[in-house]
Amino acid sequence: MGLLSLSADPEGYGLWEQPAEKAGMLLSLRMLGQFGAVNAGVAFAWHRIALAAYVARQLRLPLNADAPLAATLVPTGHLGLARTSLARWLTGQPPSDEDSALLADWLNRREHDTVLYAPAAWESVLLPVWDQHTIAWRRVNRSDWQVTNCARAHGFDELAAFRLREPPASAAPIVSVPGDPRALFTRVLKMDMLGLMAIGGGALARAQTMATDYAAVRRQGGKLIAAHAAVQQLLTDIESARLRVDQALGSFGLALDEVDLGAVAASRIDVHKHLCHAANQAVQVHGGIGYMRDLGVEKILRDQNMLRLQAGGIHDARQFVAGWKGASA
Amino acid sequence: MNHPAHLQGHLPATHPLSPRHRYAQFPWAARMMSDYAASDLWETDTRRLPAALARIRRRARHFAEQHLRPLAAEADLAPHLPPGECSPSLQRLLAEAGRDGWLSYFLPAPLGSMPWRALRHAPVWQSSLVIEEFSRVCGGLSLLLSAHHLGVMPLLLSGNPRTVLKYVAPIYRRCRAGDPHLVAFAITEPGAGSDVEDGHGAESYRPGVVSTPVDGGYLLNGRKIFISGGDLAQSVTVFAALQGEGMASWTCFYVDCNAPGFKLVRTELKMGMRASGAAELEFSNVFVPHDRIIGGLRNGWAINRATLNTSRIPVSAMALGMARAATEAAVEFAQQYQLGGRPLIDAQDVQLLLADMVAETRSLRSLIWQEARHAWRPRQLHAALCKFHATDRAQRVCEMAMDLMADHGGLHEQRVEKIFRDIRLTRIFEGTNQINRLSLVEDWQTQLLDPDTHSMRPGVSV
Ligand SMILES: Cc1cc2nc3c(=O)[nH]c(=O)nc-3n(C[C@H](O)[C@H](O)[C@H](O)COP(=O)(O)OP(=O)(O)OC[C@H]3O[C@@H](n4cnc5c(N)ncnc54)[C@H](O)[C@@H]3O)c2cc1C
Ligand SMILES: Cc1cc2nc3c(=O)[nH]c(=O)nc-3n(C[C@H](O)[C@H](O)[C@H](O)COP(=O)(O)OP(=O)(O)OC[C@H]3O[C@@H](n4cnc5c(N)ncnc54)[C@H](O)[C@@H]3O)c2cc1C
C-alpha cells in the first residue's frame, strides 16, 4: 500500500488503484482532497500520474520501473470534449460521419497541439488516439514528440506547461484496449473529473480555514471583519460551495461503474464554478493582502481556475452532457 | 486571405433573406430609419465621441500598441526586482509616455498636455478613455502609468493655484521633458485599508501615520502599505493625522521621497499587475515644511474622498479595457482555432458565448461613458457604482474567455490568464467592492432618509 502506485501489482491500494470498489473510490477521492488542501498543483500531478498507472495496468503496459512518477497522462483531445460527438460515441449511439470526423480530429495530435501541465521532469505521457473507429492509447516518450516548453502557466506553480505535437513519423506504438475501449475511456474521464473536483474541494477547505481565521483577527470598521454582513456573505458563499462539492462527491462515492459520466460532467460545470467563486471570496475576505503571493490564498484561486480548465474545461462540458442525453450536433 | 462568405448557422450577406444589403433599396424615408454601414465597433464608439476625445482615444490606442504591447508579457514574467529598481525598458516607456503627454493630461498647456479642445469635457472621461486603451494592452503597465495621476490628484484638488503652479507644473514639465517625476498616493496603512476609504470605519480607527508639529512644519512617523508606484515615485501625497487627534484631522502632506527619514521598505510580490510596484513606505521623523501641506490642515479626509471619486471611474475603465482584451483574445482564438476542420466560431455555443462577452463589455463602456461624461464633479454614488459593477463583471468576461479556451486558457501565451490576474486587483483596491457598495449607500442616504424633499414625486427614484 502506498499513496501512489509504484508497481504493477494488481493488489495495491494506492491512489486510483481500486476504483472498481466503493472503498477504493472513496479512498482515492479523500486522498486527493487531502493533497489538494496542501497543494493543488502537486495533487493534480499525482492524480494524473496515478491515472497513467491505472490506464497502463488496463492496457497491460509495463510501468516504467525506474521512474514511475515520470509517467503522466492527458485524458482528452486537443480542446474541449468534442462537442456532442464523444458523448454520443461513449453511450453507444450510432456515430454520424460528422461525429467520426470530429472524434478523429479531436484526437489528432499531428495537426493540433496538446497542452500538458506536468512536473518539469516528466518522461512519458499516455494519450488517447482515434484508431480504426475507436479510441486506443499511445504512450509517448518525451524525446519522441515535439515538446515546446511554455512560459509560466496561470497556476500549478509546482508544475510546468508544455505543448505536445506528434511528428510526421511517430515512433510511439498504438495500443488497443483489451476489452471495451468505450468503457475504459468512460472510466478514465470519470476518475479524472471526480479527481479534479476532489482536489478543488480540498483546496477550498484550506481557503475556508484561511478566510475564517483572518476574519477572526482582522479589525476594520470598528470591529472584527467577521462581524460585518459583507464578510459574512463572503464566508457563507465559501461554506455553500463546500457543501455543494461535498454533496456532489458524496453522491459519486460509489464503485466507479455505478457512477454516471453524464452526471459527473454536468455536476462538474456547477461545482467548478462554485469552487472558483469560493476561492475568489476567500481572496476578497483578505482584502489587499489576499492579492499578495506570500499569503497563498491567491494561489488557491489560480489553482482552482486551472482545475476548472482541465478535462476539456466546463464550456464544452455542456455540449458533452447534451450528447450524453442523446442530442446530436 | 480568402474570407468565407458566412459563419455556420448564418446566411451570407448576399442572400435574399439577409436584410442589411436590402435596406439600401428602401425609399429614402425608410432608408433614413434602416440603412447603415456595419463598421468596426471600436470605430463606431470612437466616432460617437466629441472630436477632441475621439482624437485622444485614437492616440492612446496607438501609443498602447506601439509602446505597451511589446513590453506586456516581459513585464509580467520578469523576476521581482529589489525595491526601487526599474528595468531599462520600463524606464524608457515612462520617459516616452511622459514626452507623449500621458503623465500630464489633467491640465491643459502650458502647464499640462490636455488638448485645449478637450477642456470642454470632464477630465475623468478623458482619463477613462486613455486607461481603457492602456489596460487593454496590459493592466500592469496601465496601472504603472495611471497611479501617478492618483498621486497628483490631491494637489489639483487643493484648489489652490499656488499649489498647482508650485508643485504640479514642475512635475508635469519634467514628465513632458521625458524625465518623469512620478507621484504616488498614500492612504493605506497596515491597520487601515477599508477604514481609510469609508467614514464609518475611519471614525473608530486610531491613525497609524501621525504628524507632529515642529518649527517650520511637521514630522511624519508611521507606515503606509501597498502604495502603487511608491517604489518609483519622487514624491508622495501622504495622508496623516495630527498628533493626538483622530481621522478627522487627516491632512495631506506632499512628501519628497529624498527627505531624510523616508524609506522604501519593500515591494509586494503580487498575483498580477506585475509591471506596477506596490510599495511599503516608512516615515521616521520625515520633516515636511508648512508649504507642502496640501489643501490646509484637517482637510485631508475630504480631499482623499474627492480623489477616490475622481479615480474610481477610471478604475472601472481599467477593468473595461481588460474585459475588452479578454473578449478580443476569445474572438481571435475562436477564429483561428480549428476543431473538426472548422474554426470554433462556426459553432453556435461559441457564438453565444462571444455574444455575451461583447454585450457585457459594451454595456460596461456605456455605463462608464455615461457617468464619466458628467463627472465634472464626480459623485460618490456614481463613481462607486461604476467601480464595483464594472470590475466584478469584467472578471466574469475574462472567465468566459478562459472557459472557451479550456486548458489552453491556462497558458501565459494566450493572454487571458494574465488578464485574470490583473483584473482581480480591480475588485480589491480603490476600496474593496464591498466598501464601494457601502459608499454608494452612504452617498444615497440623503434621498433614502428624506426622499420627498429631494424628489418631485413621493418615494425614492432610481
Ligand atoms: C496592488 C495594490 C495596490 C494598491 N495601491 C494603493 C495605493 O496606490 N494607495 C493606497 O493608499 N492604497 C493602495 N492599495 C490599498 C487598497 O486600497 C486596500 O488594500 C483596499 O482598500 C482594502 O483594504 P485592506 O487591504 O486593508 O482590506 P480590509 O479593509 O482589511 O478588508 C478585508 C475584508 O473586510 C471587508 N471590510 C472591511 N471593512 C469593512 C466594513 N466596514 N464593512 C464591511 N466590510 C468590510 C472588506 O471588504 C474585505 O473583504 C493597494 C492595494 C493593492 C492590493
Ligand atoms: C406574450 C407574447 C407576445 C407576443 N407578441 C407578438 C407579436 O405582437 N407579434 C408577433 O408576430 N409575435 C409575437 N410573439 C411571438 C414571439 O416573438 C415568439 O414567441 C418568439 O419569437 C419565439 O418563437 P416561438 O415561440 O416559435 O419559439 P421557437 O422558435 O419554437 O423557440 C423555441 C426554443 O428554441 C430556440 N431556437 C429556435 N430556433 C433556434 C435556432 N435556429 N438556433 C438556436 N435556438 C433556436 C429558441 O431560442 C427557444 O429557446 C409574442 C409571444 C408572446 C409569448
Side-chain angles (χ1 to χ4, degrees):
Chain A
M1 169 155 168
L3 296 182
L4 281 172
S5 57
L6 302 180
S7 76
D9 174 10
E11 301 302 311
Y13 226 88
L15 184 55
W16 293 133
E17 279 196 279
Q18 303 295 347
E21 295 168 26
K22 178 175 172 168
M25 274 286 275
L26 288 174
L27 180 76
S28 293
L29 294 177
R30 286 180 191 157
M31 252 199 269
L32 287 172
Q34 297 292 329
F35 300 161
V38 181
N39 186 317
V42 172
F44 172 77
W46 289 358
H47 162 61
R48 286 282 169 89
I49 289 166
L51 274 186
Y54 172 87
V55 174
R57 281 192 299 274
Q58 307 304 310
L59 298 177
R60 309 200 180 106
L61 285 174
L63 294 176
N64 179 348
D66 300 335
L69 297 180
T72 186
L73 164 144
V74 170
T76 48
H78 59 88
L79 181 76
L81 288 166
R83 305 199 204 292
T84 55
S85 300
L86 173 67
R88 288 164 50 76
W89 181 76
L90 288 176
T91 48
Q93 298 168 63
S96 64
D97 289 349
E98 206 177 324
D99 286 333
S100 304
L102 186 59
L103 285 168
D105 180 80
W106 184 60
L107 294 169
N108 178 335
R109 321 258 178 203
R110 208 164 256 174
E111 285 164 35
H112 304 280
D113 284 349
T114 297
V115 178
L116 171 70
Y117 300 103
W122 68 276
E123 287 176 10
S124 70
V125 59
L126 262 170
L127 300 152
V129 292
W130 190 247
D131 181 55
Q132 299 177 16
H133 308 289
T134 190
I135 289 183
W137 291 81
R138 251 177 158 173
R139 181 145 72 190
V140 173
N141 290 319
R142 184 169 184 158
S143 51
D144 293 343
W145 275 20
Q146 294 160 15
V147 176
T148 313
N149 296 314
C150 300
R152 201 180 48 220
H154 182 66
F156 296 167
D157 296 345
E158 304 70 21
L159 313 182
F162 305 89
R163 287 176 174 281
L164 313 181
R165 185 69 82 107
E166 182 183 347
S170 173
I174 291 176
V175 186
S176 50
V177 178
D180 182 357
R182 285 186 172 97
L184 175 61
F185 198 67
T186 304
R187 289 186 194 120
V188 171
L189 277 184
K190 278 192 273 195
M191 283 187 275
D192 192 44
M193 291 181 182
L194 288 172
L196 297 173
M197 285 193 244
I199 296 168
L204 167 66
R206 171 100 185 96
Q208 183 171 33
T209 309
M210 292 177 79
T212 313
D213 290 354
Y214 190 73
V217 294
R218 173 71 170 165
R219 293 186 73 84
Q220 286 294 278
K223 46 187 171 184
L224 291 174
I225 58 169
H228 293 297
V231 174
Q232 292 160 2
Q233 287 181 343
L234 301 174
L235 293 171
T236 303
D237 284 1
I238 299 171
E239 174 69 5
S240 344
R242 201 179 56 74
L243 288 172
R244 268 192 131 93
V245 184
D246 286 354
Q247 274 163 7
L249 287 174
S251 72
F252 296 127
L254 307 167
L256 186 56
D257 284 346
E258 288 170 34
V259 173
D260 179 67
L261 174 60
V264 173
S267 147
R268 163 176 162 73
I269 298 170
D270 183 54
V271 163
H272 281 282
K273 281 186 188 166
H274 277 89
L275 286 170
C276 291
H277 178 63
N280 269 291
Q281 304 300 61
V283 167
Q284 197 70 11
V285 167
H286 288 84
I289 194 77
Y291 195 68
M292 307 311 173
R293 295 215 168 189
D294 328 31
L295 199 75
V297 71
E298 64 81 34
K299 177 183 190 299
I300 296 180
L301 172 54
R302 289 186 289 115
D303 285 347
Q304 293 288 14
N305 284 343
M306 290 297 282
L307 294 168
R308 165 181 175 146
L309 300 175
Q310 307 308 313
I314 63 170
H315 174 79
D316 215 25
R318 283 165 95 180
Q319 303 312 119
F320 179 87
V321 173
W324 191 264
K325 293 277 170 195
S328 58
Chain B
M1 193 179 150
N2 218 352
H3 294 286
H6 64 99
L7 296 176
Q8 207 167 349
H10 302 274
L11 297 171
T14 48
H15 192 279
L17 286 175
S18 173
R20 207 177 78 222
H21 295 270
R22 302 290 291 271
Y23 297 151
Q25 292 153 30
F26 276 5
W28 177 83
R31 239 174 25 240
M32 291 298 101
M33 294 185 281
S34 52
D35 191 21
Y36 61 92
S39 64
D40 171 75
L41 295 178
W42 186 85
E43 279 296 334
T44 304
D45 288 346
T46 305
R47 284 194 211 121
R48 284 176 186 171
L49 287 167
L53 297 186
R55 207 153 28 244
I56 290 174
R57 193 172 198 235
R58 287 184 198 286
R59 281 191 52 229
R61 180 176 182 151
H62 182 72
F63 184 84
E65 288 294 348
Q66 279 235 302
H67 297 283
L68 274 60
R69 176 80 68 201
L71 301 183
E74 169 194 328
D76 182 54
L77 292 171
H80 191 70
L81 291 179
E85 281 186 25
C86 175
S87 77
S89 53
L90 289 193
Q91 272 166 8
R92 276 195 299 276
L93 170 69
L94 285 164
E96 198 58 48
R99 272 194 291 273
D100 219 26
W102 303 113
L103 298 173
S104 54
Y105 58 69
F106 272 87
L107 290 175
L111 296 179
S113 53
M114 180 195 289
W116 272 92
R117 290 178 54 193
L119 203 56
R120 306 204 331 254
H121 311 284
V124 166
W125 197 4
Q126 299 177 44
S127 94
S128 298
L129 297 173
V130 174
I131 289 177
E132 181 193 327
E133 295 305 326
F134 287 6
S135 69
R136 165 182 169 260
V137 171
C138 177
L141 292 172
S142 89
L143 180 57
L144 176 74
L145 295 175
S146 57
H148 163 73
H149 296 296
L150 184 66
V152 171
M153 193 52 66
L155 305 175
L156 297 173
L157 283 169
S158 71
N160 184 339
R162 290 225 331 263
T163 301
V164 172
L165 286 176
K166 188 163 175 190
Y167 298 122
V168 182
I171 295 169
Y172 275 13
R173 208 163 29 239
R174 274 192 46 194
C175 289
R176 305 251 20 205
D179 172 28
H181 172 145
L182 298 177
V183 187
F185 174 73
I187 56 172
T188 306
E189 303 178 357
S194 297
D195 282 357
V196 296
E197 309 252 356
D198 167 66
H200 179 252
E203 198 189 6
S204 51
Y205 175 62
R206 225 181 85 227
V209 179
V210 173
S211 62
T212 318
V214 289
D215 242 11
Y218 284 83
L219 290 181
L220 286 193
N221 280 288
R223 277 197 300 155
K224 293 284 183 186
I225 55 166
F226 304 160
I227 307 309
S228 294
D231 51 337
L232 303 180
Q234 263 127 54
S235 51
V236 184
T237 40
V238 179
F239 291 73
L242 304 182
Q243 194 187 31
E245 297 185 43
M247 290 292 284
S249 73
W250 245 25
T251 299
C252 176
F253 295 89
Y254 181 52
V255 175
D256 180 350
C257 298
N258 292 316
F262 178 96
K263 188 171 168 208
L264 169 61
V265 181
R266 60 180 251 137
T267 48
E268 303 288 342
L269 190 52
K270 310 197 296 308
M271 180 187 205
M273 295 288 204
R274 301 200 62 240
S276 153
E280 177 171 338
L281 310 177
E282 191 178 81
F283 308 89
S284 319
N285 286 326
V286 175
F287 176 70
V288 189
H290 282 300
D291 64 355
R292 294 176 80 101
I293 290 173
I294 305 303
L297 289 178
R298 297 188 182 79
N299 288 329
W301 183 255
I303 292 177
N304 165 37
R305 300 301 294 276
T307 301
L308 294 171
N309 291 349
T310 59
S311 64
R312 283 176 177 171
I313 296 179
V315 167
S316 324
M318 189 178 278
L320 161 63
M322 291 189 257
R324 176 172 145 211
T327 304
E328 291 172 359
V331 170
E332 193 183 313
F333 186 84
Q335 285 176 318
Q336 288 178 359
Y337 201 101
Q338 302 271 326
L339 177 65
R342 292 193 162 278
L344 291 183
I345 199 164
D346 265 343
Q348 188 174 81
D349 56 282
V350 174
Q351 294 172 6
L352 295 169
L353 185 82
L354 294 178
D356 278 339
M357 295 176 72
V358 178
E360 286 280 2
T361 304
R362 293 182 61 73
S363 52
L364 295 185
R365 188 177 300 121
S366 301
L367 168 69
I368 291 167
W369 286 13
Q370 159 80 2
E371 297 303 350
R373 175 198 305 269
H374 301 288
W376 275 109
R377 286 175 285 180
R379 181 176 172 180
Q380 179 175 319
L381 184 153
H382 295 143
L385 181 155
C386 275
K387 195 277 190 183
F388 73 75
H389 185 72
T391 57
D392 280 353
R393 297 311 302 175
Q395 182 177 319
R396 187 64 209 102
V397 174
C398 185
E399 286 163 358
M400 293 185 208
M402 286 174 89
D403 283 340
L404 173 71
M405 299 179 189
D407 50 357
H408 296 257
L411 298 177
H412 189 266
E413 64 208 53
Q414 295 292 356
R415 303 200 304 279
V416 292
E417 74 81 23
K418 168 182 181 295
I419 297 173
F420 182 97
R421 288 183 287 108
D422 290 349
I423 277 193
R424 189 64 191 78
L425 175 65
T426 63
R427 303 171 63 202
I428 298 171
F429 78 163
E430 297 271 326
T432 64
N433 280 4
Q434 286 67 33
I435 290 297
N436 273 272
R437 285 179 173 86
L438 297 175
S439 292
L440 179 159
V441 176
E442 180 192 49
D443 190 28
W444 200 18
Q445 283 185 96
T446 334
Q447 287 80 45
L448 294 177
L449 295 172
D450 188 7
D452 298 340
T453 322
H454 301 278
S455 155
M456 303 289 285
R457 302 156 206 255
V460 177
S461 341
V462 180

